[in-house]
Short mmCIF file of all heavy atoms in Angstrom, two decimals:
data_model
loop_
_atom_site.label_atom_id
_atom_site.label_comp_id
_atom_site.label_asym_id
_atom_site.label_seq_id
_atom_site.Cartn_x
_atom_site.Cartn_y
_atom_site.Cartn_z
N VAL A 167 -7.91 2.90 -10.26
CA VAL A 167 -7.51 3.87 -11.27
C VAL A 167 -7.89 3.27 -12.63
O VAL A 167 -7.45 2.23 -13.01
CB VAL A 167 -6.00 4.15 -11.26
CG1 VAL A 167 -5.60 5.26 -12.30
CG2 VAL A 167 -5.52 4.62 -9.86
N ALA A 168 -8.81 4.03 -13.35
CA ALA A 168 -9.24 3.56 -14.67
C ALA A 168 -8.25 3.86 -15.69
O ALA A 168 -7.76 5.01 -15.82
CB ALA A 168 -10.60 4.20 -15.00
N MET A 169 -7.78 2.82 -16.50
CA MET A 169 -6.66 2.97 -17.45
C MET A 169 -7.16 2.68 -18.90
O MET A 169 -7.08 1.51 -19.27
CB MET A 169 -5.51 2.09 -17.09
CG MET A 169 -4.78 2.41 -15.84
SD MET A 169 -3.51 1.19 -15.53
CE MET A 169 -2.55 1.32 -17.05
N PRO A 170 -7.61 3.63 -19.67
CA PRO A 170 -7.88 3.39 -21.05
C PRO A 170 -6.58 3.34 -21.83
O PRO A 170 -5.60 4.03 -21.51
CB PRO A 170 -8.76 4.55 -21.48
CG PRO A 170 -8.33 5.67 -20.55
CD PRO A 170 -7.98 5.00 -19.27
N ARG A 171 -6.55 2.57 -22.90
CA ARG A 171 -5.30 2.49 -23.69
C ARG A 171 -5.15 3.70 -24.66
O ARG A 171 -4.10 4.32 -24.65
CB ARG A 171 -5.25 1.19 -24.54
CG ARG A 171 -4.02 1.01 -25.33
CD ARG A 171 -4.02 -0.31 -26.05
NE ARG A 171 -2.85 -0.44 -26.97
CZ ARG A 171 -1.64 -0.84 -26.52
NH1 ARG A 171 -1.48 -1.16 -25.26
NH2 ARG A 171 -0.65 -0.92 -27.36
N LEU A 172 -6.16 4.02 -25.43
CA LEU A 172 -6.13 5.13 -26.36
C LEU A 172 -7.23 6.10 -26.03
O LEU A 172 -8.32 5.69 -25.69
CB LEU A 172 -6.25 4.63 -27.78
CG LEU A 172 -5.22 3.67 -28.31
CD1 LEU A 172 -5.56 3.18 -29.76
CD2 LEU A 172 -3.81 4.28 -28.30
N LEU A 173 -6.94 7.42 -26.20
CA LEU A 173 -7.96 8.43 -26.00
C LEU A 173 -8.12 9.46 -27.12
O LEU A 173 -9.07 10.25 -27.12
CB LEU A 173 -7.64 9.20 -24.67
CG LEU A 173 -7.87 8.46 -23.35
CD1 LEU A 173 -7.53 9.33 -22.19
CD2 LEU A 173 -9.31 7.99 -23.25
N THR A 174 -7.20 9.46 -28.08
CA THR A 174 -7.27 10.53 -29.05
C THR A 174 -7.65 9.91 -30.45
O THR A 174 -7.47 8.70 -30.70
CB THR A 174 -5.88 11.24 -29.24
OG1 THR A 174 -4.91 10.29 -29.70
CG2 THR A 174 -5.44 11.77 -27.92
N GLY A 175 -8.19 10.83 -31.30
CA GLY A 175 -8.55 10.41 -32.66
C GLY A 175 -9.72 9.45 -32.68
O GLY A 175 -10.35 9.12 -31.67
N LEU A 176 -9.98 8.90 -33.89
CA LEU A 176 -11.07 7.97 -34.07
C LEU A 176 -10.81 6.68 -33.21
O LEU A 176 -11.75 6.10 -32.66
CB LEU A 176 -11.23 7.56 -35.56
CG LEU A 176 -11.76 8.71 -36.44
CD1 LEU A 176 -11.78 8.27 -37.90
CD2 LEU A 176 -13.18 9.09 -36.01
N ALA A 177 -9.54 6.27 -33.18
CA ALA A 177 -9.22 5.02 -32.41
C ALA A 177 -9.49 5.19 -30.94
O ALA A 177 -9.66 4.18 -30.23
CB ALA A 177 -7.78 4.65 -32.69
N GLY A 178 -9.50 6.40 -30.45
CA GLY A 178 -9.67 6.66 -29.00
C GLY A 178 -11.09 6.84 -28.60
O GLY A 178 -11.38 7.10 -27.40
N ALA A 179 -12.01 6.82 -29.55
CA ALA A 179 -13.47 7.13 -29.25
C ALA A 179 -13.99 6.13 -28.15
O ALA A 179 -14.68 6.60 -27.25
CB ALA A 179 -14.31 7.07 -30.51
N ASP A 180 -13.66 4.84 -28.32
CA ASP A 180 -14.15 3.92 -27.34
C ASP A 180 -13.54 4.19 -25.97
O ASP A 180 -14.22 4.14 -24.88
CB ASP A 180 -13.81 2.51 -27.75
CG ASP A 180 -14.17 1.40 -26.69
OD1 ASP A 180 -15.33 1.18 -26.48
OD2 ASP A 180 -13.22 0.88 -26.12
N GLY A 181 -12.20 4.47 -25.95
CA GLY A 181 -11.58 4.78 -24.66
C GLY A 181 -12.17 5.99 -24.04
O GLY A 181 -12.32 6.01 -22.76
N ARG A 182 -12.50 7.01 -24.74
CA ARG A 182 -13.08 8.24 -24.15
C ARG A 182 -14.42 7.90 -23.51
O ARG A 182 -14.74 8.36 -22.38
CB ARG A 182 -13.24 9.31 -25.19
CG ARG A 182 -11.94 9.89 -25.74
CD ARG A 182 -12.14 11.13 -26.57
NE ARG A 182 -12.85 10.92 -27.80
CZ ARG A 182 -12.32 10.53 -28.94
NH1 ARG A 182 -10.96 10.36 -29.06
NH2 ARG A 182 -13.05 10.42 -30.08
N ALA A 183 -15.27 7.14 -24.22
CA ALA A 183 -16.59 6.78 -23.67
C ALA A 183 -16.40 5.88 -22.45
O ALA A 183 -17.11 6.07 -21.41
CB ALA A 183 -17.38 6.05 -24.72
N GLN A 184 -15.49 4.92 -22.53
CA GLN A 184 -15.30 4.05 -21.41
C GLN A 184 -14.73 4.74 -20.17
O GLN A 184 -15.08 4.43 -18.99
CB GLN A 184 -14.34 2.88 -21.77
CG GLN A 184 -14.91 1.98 -22.91
CD GLN A 184 -15.80 0.85 -22.34
OE1 GLN A 184 -15.99 0.80 -21.16
NE2 GLN A 184 -16.39 0.07 -23.22
N LEU A 185 -13.88 5.75 -20.41
CA LEU A 185 -13.34 6.52 -19.25
C LEU A 185 -14.38 7.26 -18.52
O LEU A 185 -14.47 7.23 -17.25
CB LEU A 185 -12.25 7.47 -19.73
CG LEU A 185 -11.60 8.37 -18.70
CD1 LEU A 185 -10.97 7.58 -17.57
CD2 LEU A 185 -10.65 9.39 -19.34
N ARG A 186 -15.30 7.91 -19.30
CA ARG A 186 -16.39 8.63 -18.64
C ARG A 186 -17.31 7.69 -17.84
O ARG A 186 -17.66 7.98 -16.74
CB ARG A 186 -17.23 9.39 -19.74
CG ARG A 186 -16.48 10.63 -20.33
CD ARG A 186 -17.47 11.44 -21.11
NE ARG A 186 -18.08 10.72 -22.22
CZ ARG A 186 -17.48 10.66 -23.47
NH1 ARG A 186 -16.36 11.34 -23.70
NH2 ARG A 186 -18.10 10.00 -24.47
N ASP A 187 -17.61 6.53 -18.45
CA ASP A 187 -18.46 5.56 -17.77
C ASP A 187 -17.74 5.01 -16.50
O ASP A 187 -18.38 4.76 -15.52
CB ASP A 187 -18.80 4.44 -18.74
CG ASP A 187 -19.74 4.86 -19.86
OD1 ASP A 187 -20.39 5.93 -19.66
OD2 ASP A 187 -19.88 4.15 -20.81
N ALA A 188 -16.45 4.79 -16.61
CA ALA A 188 -15.71 4.24 -15.48
C ALA A 188 -15.72 5.21 -14.29
O ALA A 188 -15.89 4.81 -13.14
CB ALA A 188 -14.24 3.97 -15.85
N LEU A 189 -15.51 6.51 -14.55
CA LEU A 189 -15.52 7.46 -13.50
C LEU A 189 -16.91 7.64 -12.86
O LEU A 189 -17.09 7.82 -11.64
CB LEU A 189 -14.99 8.83 -13.97
CG LEU A 189 -13.53 8.77 -14.40
CD1 LEU A 189 -13.15 10.12 -15.01
CD2 LEU A 189 -12.59 8.38 -13.22
N LYS A 190 -17.95 7.54 -13.70
CA LYS A 190 -19.35 7.56 -13.18
C LYS A 190 -19.64 6.30 -12.32
O LYS A 190 -20.34 6.39 -11.37
CB LYS A 190 -20.34 7.63 -14.38
CG LYS A 190 -20.33 9.00 -15.05
CD LYS A 190 -21.32 8.99 -16.23
CE LYS A 190 -21.27 10.27 -16.98
NZ LYS A 190 -22.17 10.24 -18.18
N LEU A 191 -19.04 5.19 -12.74
CA LEU A 191 -19.27 3.92 -12.09
C LEU A 191 -18.67 3.93 -10.66
O LEU A 191 -19.07 3.17 -9.78
CB LEU A 191 -18.74 2.75 -12.87
CG LEU A 191 -19.15 1.36 -12.55
CD1 LEU A 191 -20.67 1.24 -12.68
CD2 LEU A 191 -18.42 0.40 -13.44
N GLY A 192 -17.53 4.68 -10.49
CA GLY A 192 -16.96 4.72 -9.13
C GLY A 192 -15.43 4.62 -9.10
O GLY A 192 -14.93 4.49 -8.03
N ALA A 193 -14.74 4.69 -10.24
CA ALA A 193 -13.29 4.68 -10.22
C ALA A 193 -12.87 5.94 -9.45
O ALA A 193 -13.42 7.00 -9.59
CB ALA A 193 -12.73 4.71 -11.63
N ASP A 194 -11.78 5.79 -8.67
CA ASP A 194 -11.31 6.90 -7.80
C ASP A 194 -10.34 7.85 -8.51
O ASP A 194 -10.16 8.98 -8.09
CB ASP A 194 -10.57 6.29 -6.64
CG ASP A 194 -11.44 5.37 -5.78
OD1 ASP A 194 -12.27 5.88 -4.93
OD2 ASP A 194 -11.42 4.15 -6.07
N ALA A 195 -9.71 7.37 -9.63
CA ALA A 195 -8.78 8.23 -10.34
C ALA A 195 -8.72 7.88 -11.82
O ALA A 195 -9.17 6.74 -12.18
CB ALA A 195 -7.36 8.12 -9.72
N ALA A 196 -8.34 8.78 -12.59
CA ALA A 196 -8.16 8.53 -14.06
C ALA A 196 -6.67 8.29 -14.36
O ALA A 196 -5.83 9.04 -13.81
CB ALA A 196 -8.66 9.77 -14.85
N GLY A 197 -6.35 7.34 -15.18
CA GLY A 197 -4.93 7.01 -15.44
C GLY A 197 -4.79 6.48 -16.81
O GLY A 197 -5.53 6.70 -17.74
N GLY A 198 -3.66 5.74 -16.98
CA GLY A 198 -3.30 5.20 -18.28
C GLY A 198 -1.86 5.50 -18.61
O GLY A 198 -1.03 5.98 -17.77
N CYS A 199 -1.50 5.25 -19.89
CA CYS A 199 -0.13 5.47 -20.34
C CYS A 199 -0.12 6.37 -21.57
O CYS A 199 -0.32 5.83 -22.65
CB CYS A 199 0.55 4.09 -20.61
SG CYS A 199 2.27 4.28 -21.09
N PRO A 200 0.08 7.63 -21.41
CA PRO A 200 0.09 8.56 -22.59
C PRO A 200 1.15 8.15 -23.63
O PRO A 200 0.96 8.41 -24.77
CB PRO A 200 0.39 9.88 -21.95
CG PRO A 200 0.06 9.78 -20.53
CD PRO A 200 0.30 8.37 -20.16
N ASP A 201 2.29 7.48 -23.16
CA ASP A 201 3.32 7.13 -24.11
C ASP A 201 2.81 6.21 -25.18
O ASP A 201 3.41 6.10 -26.26
CB ASP A 201 4.45 6.47 -23.35
CG ASP A 201 5.07 7.36 -22.32
OD1 ASP A 201 4.69 8.54 -22.22
OD2 ASP A 201 5.97 6.90 -21.51
N LEU A 202 1.74 5.44 -24.94
CA LEU A 202 1.24 4.46 -25.88
C LEU A 202 0.26 5.09 -26.82
O LEU A 202 -0.20 4.42 -27.77
CB LEU A 202 0.64 3.27 -25.16
CG LEU A 202 1.53 2.52 -24.19
CD1 LEU A 202 0.80 1.40 -23.51
CD2 LEU A 202 2.81 1.98 -24.93
N ASP A 203 -0.14 6.35 -26.62
CA ASP A 203 -1.12 6.99 -27.52
C ASP A 203 -0.36 7.76 -28.59
O ASP A 203 0.73 8.34 -28.27
CB ASP A 203 -2.01 7.95 -26.67
CG ASP A 203 -3.20 8.42 -27.47
OD1 ASP A 203 -2.98 9.30 -28.34
OD2 ASP A 203 -4.30 7.94 -27.23
N PRO A 204 -0.87 7.84 -29.83
CA PRO A 204 -0.13 8.63 -30.88
C PRO A 204 0.02 10.05 -30.47
O PRO A 204 0.95 10.73 -30.94
CB PRO A 204 -1.02 8.48 -32.08
CG PRO A 204 -1.79 7.21 -31.86
CD PRO A 204 -2.00 7.12 -30.36
N ASP A 205 -0.81 10.59 -29.63
CA ASP A 205 -0.74 11.99 -29.22
C ASP A 205 -0.76 12.06 -27.71
O ASP A 205 -1.79 12.23 -27.04
CB ASP A 205 -1.97 12.79 -29.79
CG ASP A 205 -1.97 14.24 -29.41
OD1 ASP A 205 -1.02 14.72 -28.80
OD2 ASP A 205 -2.98 14.89 -29.71
N PRO A 206 0.45 11.91 -27.07
CA PRO A 206 0.46 11.88 -25.55
C PRO A 206 -0.13 13.10 -24.92
O PRO A 206 -0.82 13.00 -23.88
CB PRO A 206 1.96 11.78 -25.26
CG PRO A 206 2.56 11.15 -26.51
CD PRO A 206 1.73 11.67 -27.62
N VAL A 207 0.13 14.31 -25.44
CA VAL A 207 -0.40 15.54 -24.87
C VAL A 207 -1.93 15.56 -24.98
O VAL A 207 -2.67 15.91 -24.06
CB VAL A 207 0.25 16.80 -25.45
CG1 VAL A 207 -0.45 18.06 -24.96
CG2 VAL A 207 1.73 16.87 -25.09
N GLY A 208 -2.40 15.14 -26.17
CA GLY A 208 -3.86 15.13 -26.39
C GLY A 208 -4.46 14.06 -25.49
O GLY A 208 -5.58 14.31 -24.96
N TYR A 209 -3.80 12.99 -25.20
CA TYR A 209 -4.25 11.95 -24.22
C TYR A 209 -4.50 12.60 -22.85
O TYR A 209 -5.48 12.44 -22.19
CB TYR A 209 -3.26 10.86 -24.14
CG TYR A 209 -3.63 9.62 -23.31
CD1 TYR A 209 -4.05 8.49 -23.88
CD2 TYR A 209 -3.57 9.72 -21.89
CE1 TYR A 209 -4.41 7.35 -23.10
CE2 TYR A 209 -3.92 8.62 -21.09
CZ TYR A 209 -4.32 7.45 -21.71
OH TYR A 209 -4.65 6.33 -20.91
N VAL A 210 -3.48 13.36 -22.43
CA VAL A 210 -3.55 13.97 -21.10
C VAL A 210 -4.68 15.02 -21.05
O VAL A 210 -5.37 15.14 -20.04
CB VAL A 210 -2.17 14.67 -20.77
CG1 VAL A 210 -2.34 15.59 -19.54
CG2 VAL A 210 -1.13 13.63 -20.51
N GLN A 211 -4.86 15.77 -22.13
CA GLN A 211 -5.95 16.80 -22.13
C GLN A 211 -7.29 16.17 -22.01
O GLN A 211 -8.21 16.66 -21.28
CB GLN A 211 -5.76 17.64 -23.43
CG GLN A 211 -4.55 18.50 -23.40
CD GLN A 211 -4.32 19.17 -24.72
OE1 GLN A 211 -4.86 18.71 -25.80
NE2 GLN A 211 -3.52 20.25 -24.75
N VAL A 212 -7.51 15.04 -22.70
CA VAL A 212 -8.80 14.34 -22.61
C VAL A 212 -8.98 13.81 -21.15
O VAL A 212 -10.02 13.92 -20.54
CB VAL A 212 -8.88 13.17 -23.58
CG1 VAL A 212 -10.12 12.33 -23.34
CG2 VAL A 212 -8.88 13.72 -25.04
N LEU A 213 -7.87 13.27 -20.63
CA LEU A 213 -7.92 12.70 -19.28
C LEU A 213 -8.21 13.80 -18.24
O LEU A 213 -9.01 13.61 -17.33
CB LEU A 213 -6.60 12.01 -18.97
CG LEU A 213 -6.57 10.97 -17.89
CD1 LEU A 213 -7.25 9.69 -18.41
CD2 LEU A 213 -5.12 10.62 -17.45
N LEU A 214 -7.58 14.96 -18.37
CA LEU A 214 -7.81 16.06 -17.38
C LEU A 214 -9.26 16.51 -17.44
O LEU A 214 -9.82 16.84 -16.40
CB LEU A 214 -6.83 17.15 -17.68
CG LEU A 214 -5.36 16.97 -17.34
CD1 LEU A 214 -4.54 18.18 -17.56
CD2 LEU A 214 -5.19 16.47 -15.95
N GLU A 215 -9.80 16.64 -18.61
CA GLU A 215 -11.16 17.09 -18.77
C GLU A 215 -12.12 16.15 -18.03
O GLU A 215 -13.02 16.56 -17.30
CB GLU A 215 -11.59 17.19 -20.24
CG GLU A 215 -13.02 17.69 -20.44
CD GLU A 215 -13.37 17.80 -21.88
OE1 GLU A 215 -12.50 17.64 -22.76
OE2 GLU A 215 -14.57 18.08 -22.18
N ALA A 216 -11.89 14.82 -18.22
CA ALA A 216 -12.70 13.82 -17.53
C ALA A 216 -12.50 13.88 -16.04
O ALA A 216 -13.46 13.74 -15.25
CB ALA A 216 -12.40 12.44 -18.11
N ALA A 217 -11.24 14.06 -15.58
CA ALA A 217 -10.94 14.08 -14.17
C ALA A 217 -11.55 15.31 -13.52
O ALA A 217 -12.05 15.25 -12.40
CB ALA A 217 -9.43 14.10 -13.96
N ARG A 218 -11.55 16.43 -14.14
CA ARG A 218 -12.17 17.64 -13.64
C ARG A 218 -13.65 17.46 -13.48
O ARG A 218 -14.26 17.84 -12.48
CB ARG A 218 -11.85 18.88 -14.50
CG ARG A 218 -10.47 19.51 -14.24
CD ARG A 218 -10.36 20.84 -14.83
NE ARG A 218 -10.39 20.83 -16.27
CZ ARG A 218 -9.34 20.95 -17.03
NH1 ARG A 218 -8.13 21.07 -16.52
NH2 ARG A 218 -9.44 20.90 -18.33
N GLU A 219 -14.28 16.89 -14.48
CA GLU A 219 -15.74 16.66 -14.42
C GLU A 219 -16.11 15.73 -13.24
O GLU A 219 -17.08 15.90 -12.58
CB GLU A 219 -16.22 16.01 -15.74
CG GLU A 219 -16.18 16.95 -16.94
CD GLU A 219 -16.66 16.30 -18.19
OE1 GLU A 219 -16.96 15.06 -18.11
OE2 GLU A 219 -16.70 16.96 -19.21
N ALA A 220 -15.25 14.73 -13.01
CA ALA A 220 -15.52 13.75 -11.96
C ALA A 220 -14.91 14.19 -10.63
O ALA A 220 -15.11 13.46 -9.59
CB ALA A 220 -14.96 12.38 -12.35
#
Side-chain angles (χ1 to χ4, degrees):
V167 182
M169 293 179 55
R171 181 177 176 83
L172 300 176
L173 286 179
T174 65
L176 290 175
D180 174 69
R182 294 192 294 272
Q184 296 277 357
L185 177 61
R186 289 192 297 270
D187 290 344
L189 295 176
K190 290 177 183 176
L191 194 61
D194 301 275
C199 182
D201 300 355
L202 302 180
D203 193 284
D205 180 5
V207 172
Y209 185 105
V210 168
Q211 290 170 341
V212 172
L213 204 73
L214 288 184
E215 181 179 353
R218 278 196 294 258
E219 289 178 1

